[in-house]
Amino acid sequence: MLFTDRVDAGRRLAGAVEHLREERPVVLGLPRGGVPVAYEVARALGAPLDVVVVRKLGVPHHPELGFGAIGEGGIRVMSDDIVRLSGVRQEELTAVEHAEEQQLLRRARRYREGRPRVTVDGRTVIVVDDGVATGATAAAACQVVRAQGAAHVVLAVPVAPTDVVHRLRGAVEDVVCLSRPDLFSAVGEWYRDFSQTTDEEVITRLTEAAAARSAPATAEVEVEVDADGVRLAGDLALPAAATAVVMFAHGSGSSRHSPRNRSVAAAMRDAGLGTLLFDLLTPAEEADRANVFAIDTLARRLSGATRWLRERESLPIGYFGASTGAAAALQAAADEDASIGAVVSRGGRPDLAAPRLGDVRAPTLLIAGGHDTLVLDLNRAAQAELRCENRLEIVPGATHLFEEPGALDQVADLARAWFIRHLTAGGGPPVN
């Protein structure tokens, strides 16, 4: 089988994975050449598209011999046998890993241009390349995706040698390959046009796919939220067939316009979750610094806004709280009739809800920066008071605002996975 170009290959490959449409898959392309193929697959399935950036770790002085691979989110896939047999010192292996990690982060940031990584946690994932020769990179990519939490991994390629396809079947749930020639020397011989894919083309395809996913159906609508008798400005966004809604409770010095909050909210919408960003205080109230620590007032307003939202939408609801907003979220979730499906705290002050922490029933994820030592200690103390399912995640090297490269992406990934697990597929509480 001869393909005209990568677009042609992608369109043909899309037909071969059509049966996965109902699983609402995520499509990941291996850069560079796999991305234009993956773009056609994602467009045909109406699926989110992203890159899977993987770096092979080569043994020093023998870089062609890989002792492992790394992926985003701190994922490491290692071959202990090769490490042992290579006889290379641990500090040398660590230096290789550090250098490759820097390259990985640079490429990922360049390709996405500030967009958060599409979550794969609990999802069916189709990993796409423009072809496979040895299968080493594809196998590493699938291992990384599985380690990132994917529930079902399918490798889809236009062409690969028969023996490589058989070998790869042991690494993933399924391999979809359109052409399996016995005589194979290079991927490019099976394309009429196999010109090099540039970084610019990868960025363009990812940008176009992201724009398509942010269609009018997911556009934010300005709303006036009735929060305990006070009318507050908000932005409501509901993707088509939204499975749940995440309400954002902002903290001190923040608002619904915060780039950090909006970045995390975009990650929620990429996973099919609706978002409601609104301000818990009026502009006049924000002028008095003491009001941002009035947790009782903030919690009452959040509860009132929750009732307002439930009158509009019959969907499971989760809370995402930052700083003092996290305390408000936990206190509101502690109400007996709250029926909140999950709570996530980013750099939060859960200690300010201390009297009610034992009453929280919603599964709670606390996220703190590794260098935000005071807040980290407060989160550890608060976690000891929780009686619900809970977890504390520490983002290494991050400070209070998670401004370090990649730190906020990790927050978004953790939060998104938590909400997907507890709010979707029957994971949330019944809707009243």
Side-chain angles (χ1 to χ4, degrees):
M1 181 182 294
L2 191 64
F3 304 100
T4 303
D5 52 20
R6 291 182 179 88
V7 173
D8 174 49
R11 289 173 180 172
R12 294 201 219 179
L13 194 58
V17 295
E18 173 63 30
H19 63 285
L20 297 171
R21 177 189 294 273
E22 293 184 1
E23 297 185 30
R24 297 183 65 213
V26 171
V27 177
L28 302 180
L30 276 158
R32 302 182 184 97
V35 173
V37 181
Y39 174 82
E40 299 299 329
V41 173
R43 187 166 66 168
L45 297 182
L49 173 69
D50 202 355
V51 285
V52 51
V53 185
V54 176
R55 299 294 295 181
K56 188 179 86 170
L57 304 177
V59 173
H61 313 303
H62 299 284
E64 71 282 354
L65 177 61
F67 67 86
I70 58 173
E72 293 176 86
I75 299 301
R76 302 166 72 249
V77 179
M78 299 294 169
S79 172
D80 294 334
D81 289 340
I82 293 179
V83 170
R84 184 176 62 256
L85 294 172
S86 69
V88 181
R89 292 176 301 168
Q90 182 59 49
E91 52 265 34
E92 292 181 284
L93 300 179
T94 300
V96 170
E97 184 174 350
H98 179 73
E100 293 296 341
E101 182 179 26
Q102 298 306 307
Q103 180 68 11
L104 181 147
L105 292 174
R106 281 195 295 270
R107 292 189 75 188
R109 284 198 295 268
R110 173 166 170 73
Y111 290 146
R112 293 200 186 93
E113 295 193 318
R115 290 183 300 274
R117 178 160 57 93
V118 175
T119 187
V120 300
D121 192 75
R123 304 286 293 272
T124 291
V125 178
I126 306 174
V127 176
V128 179
D129 205 353
D130 54 8
V132 165
T134 66
T137 301
C142 291
Q143 287 180 297
V144 165
V145 169
R146 188 186 302 283
Q148 289 172 339
H152 186 83
V153 181
V154 177
L155 175 64
V157 294
V159 60
T162 301
D163 61 328
V164 173
V165 171
H166 289 317
R167 188 168 66 248
L168 287 170
R169 287 194 187 281
V172 295
E173 280 77 17
D174 193 13
V175 178
V176 175
C177 182
L178 301 180
S179 179
R180 307 173 193 178
D182 292 323
L183 298 176
F184 186 102
S185 60
V187 171
E189 67 179 331
W190 303 99
Y191 286 81
R192 289 193 178 93
D193 178 2
F194 197 65
S195 53
Q196 184 178 17
T197 302
T198 64
D199 280 347
E200 288 68 27
E201 184 177 353
V202 171
I203 294 167
T204 298
R205 291 291 174 263
L206 293 175
T207 301
E208 290 174 351
R213 296 287 295 177
S214 301
T218 65
E220 288 185 326
V221 177
E222 291 186 5
V223 293
E224 226 181 39
V225 179
D226 184 355
D228 194 35
V230 179
R231 309 294 290 186
L232 299 171
D235 298 310
L236 177 65
L238 293 174
T243 53
V245 183
V246 177
M247 300 179 68
F248 283 68
H250 312 308
S252 54
S254 187
S255 76
R256 73 185 193 281
H257 299 301
S258 161
R260 291 181 294 279
N261 293 325
R262 291 200 164 274
S263 178
V264 175
M268 301 301 109
R269 294 193 292 271
D270 281 344
L273 301 172
T275 57
L276 174 60
L277 295 93
F278 70 106
D279 298 324
L280 290 168
L281 297 172
T282 66
E285 290 170 334
E286 289 174 353
D288 184 349
R289 177 71 175 169
N291 286 329
V292 302
F293 291 93
I295 305 303
D296 289 345
T297 298
L298 300 180
R300 279 198 308 273
R301 290 187 178 178
L302 182 55
S303 296
T306 304
R307 291 190 292 271
W308 173 88
L309 180 59
R310 282 208 169 101
E311 290 175 0
R312 296 172 60 106
E313 304 293 338
S314 297
L315 292 170
I317 292 175
Y319 288 159
F320 181 94
S323 192
T324 54
L330 287 165
Q331 186 159 313
D335 288 348
E336 192 172 331
D337 60 348
S339 294
I340 298 303
V343 177
V344 174
S345 162
R346 170 185 66 81
R349 290 291 308 275
D351 56 296
L352 297 177
R356 300 298 308 278
L357 290 177
D359 298 325
V360 177
R361 294 293 173 264
T364 298
L365 174 65
L366 306 174
I367 305 174
H371 287 174
D372 191 10
T373 53
L374 175 59
V375 169
L376 179 54
D377 288 343
L378 293 172
N379 274 256
R380 285 178 172 140
Q383 185 186 24
E385 300 297 321
L386 291 170
R387 299 292 176 265
C388 57
E389 177 186 349
N390 65 84
R391 194 165 80 219
L392 172 61
E393 290 282 357
I394 301 171
V395 178
T399 51
H400 187 59
L401 296 181
F402 298 89
E403 294 175 303
E404 295 71 24
L408 194 61
D409 286 345
Q410 291 187 53
V411 170
D413 288 345
L414 291 166
R416 189 166 44 186
W418 192 260
F419 286 129
I420 288 173
R421 175 183 171 190
H422 294 289
L423 295 183
T424 66
V431 179
N432 294 332

